[in-house]
Amino acid sequence: MSPKAKVTVGLILFFLAILIGLALSVPMIWAGAEAAHYGFPPMAEKKWHLHCPHYLALDESGTVSATVKNTNDFPVTLKIRWWASIPLDLETGLEYRELKPGQSWHWSHKVGPHNRDLHRFIFFSAYYFGGYPMPRRQGMCGIFVLPFGGIPGRAVLWFGLALFLVLGVAGWWLWREGSSQITVKPLLANGVAIFAVLIPLTVAVALWGSWALGIALVAADVLALIIFALALIGGQEA
């Protein structure tokens, strides 16, 4: 394969990886932003990290889980209040458990198709209390519901991540191999370098669940993509 062909194929693969990365990230960030503004009652300022599925199929159920530990040197009865979305309302419940000093409670709750709201989302919030002087903590998350059933959301996510990594690494390698042998316009080279940082960072932030930072990164991605596209249209190529 000639250097110019390597650059061309590398750019195509790299661009496909960019699209896949954005396609994976945007729904997760969108779900998190919707959850933050869904209307869950604010009960605690300190955050509690909930483990939620990022994607669920249309007919799939999933599990929201979290861990709380009694950090006191005496037994306490910890309570967990939770809320889950249902159309035009909130499903809620209260659970409690007595914990010895140092003991942990690995709590979980199932959500499913009946919790779907706003067409494509499941929202969940929970907070724990009752272990004074332990601070009360609250967490929330949004789950994006895929527009099809039969394939687990986790499988879609992992397949998408694998494809993103394979295409991204292969495209970057071909690009580097080809561009090291021929002259490439600086604007195009800088655009590839920027995307090589921005897109993996966007995917990582989306997986972590920081929707505010995710929105900022997606905006930066779109701006960089416009510049990249204009560079190609304007003939900024090898």
Side-chain angles (χ1 to χ4, degrees):
M1 186 182 296
S2 68
K4 188 171 183 178
K6 288 182 180 179
V7 168
T8 302
V9 174
L11 283 176
I12 292 172
L13 296 180
F14 194 71
F15 182 72
L16 289 175
I18 290 172
L19 294 181
I20 292 171
L22 287 174
L24 287 174
S25 301
V26 170
M28 292 188 283
I29 294 168
W30 184 11
E34 291 282 4
H37 298 89
Y38 187 66
F40 291 119
M43 304 300 293
E45 293 184 359
K46 291 186 177 294
K47 292 185 178 180
W48 188 26
H49 184 64
L50 303 180
H51 299 279
C52 302
H54 295 291
Y55 291 99
L56 286 177
L58 198 60
D59 55 355
E60 183 184 10
S61 295
T63 301
V64 177
S65 63
T67 299
V68 57
K69 182 179 180 180
N70 179 14
T71 57
N72 296 320
D73 56 2
F74 52 86
V76 298
T77 299
L78 284 177
K79 303 177 183 67
I80 294 178
R81 167 74 71 180
W82 57 265
W83 298 267
S85 59
I86 53 176
L88 303 178
D89 203 354
L90 283 176
E91 186 179 43
T92 186
L94 177 65
E95 302 175 34
Y96 60 89
R97 180 172 296 182
E98 183 174 343
L99 299 179
K100 298 177 182 178
Q103 186 178 6
S104 295
W105 179 7
H106 302 290
W107 172 85
S108 63
H109 182 81
K110 281 200 171 292
V111 293
H114 73 284
N115 295 116
R116 184 161 56 94
D117 197 11
L118 302 182
H119 302 292
R120 285 287 171 261
F121 303 99
I122 293 174
F123 305 112
F124 198 90
S125 179
Y127 93 106
Y128 71 81
F129 60 102
Y132 184 83
M134 294 170 56
R136 298 181 300 172
R137 294 182 182 271
Q138 182 174 12
M140 62 184 64
C141 60
I143 303 167
F144 188 83
V145 180
L146 298 166
F148 53 81
I151 303 176
R154 181 183 293 269
V156 172
L157 176 61
W158 283 110
F159 177 78
L161 287 174
L163 196 59
F164 165 71
L165 289 173
V166 170
L167 292 178
V169 171
W172 174 258
W173 182 83
L174 285 172
W175 158 262
R176 293 293 295 175
E177 283 289 305
S179 62
S180 65
Q181 301 174 48
I182 59 176
T183 302
V184 176
K185 293 295 179 69
L187 183 59
L188 186 57
N190 291 337
V192 172
I194 290 171
F195 273 121
V197 175
L198 273 181
I199 299 300
L201 184 59
T202 303
V203 173
V205 168
L207 289 170
W208 177 248
S210 179
W211 63 268
L213 180 57
I215 289 175
L217 284 170
V218 169
D221 294 337
V222 172
L223 180 60
L225 187 59
I226 292 172
I227 295 173
F228 188 80
L230 290 176
L232 290 178
I233 293 171
Q236 299 293 333
E237 57 186 15

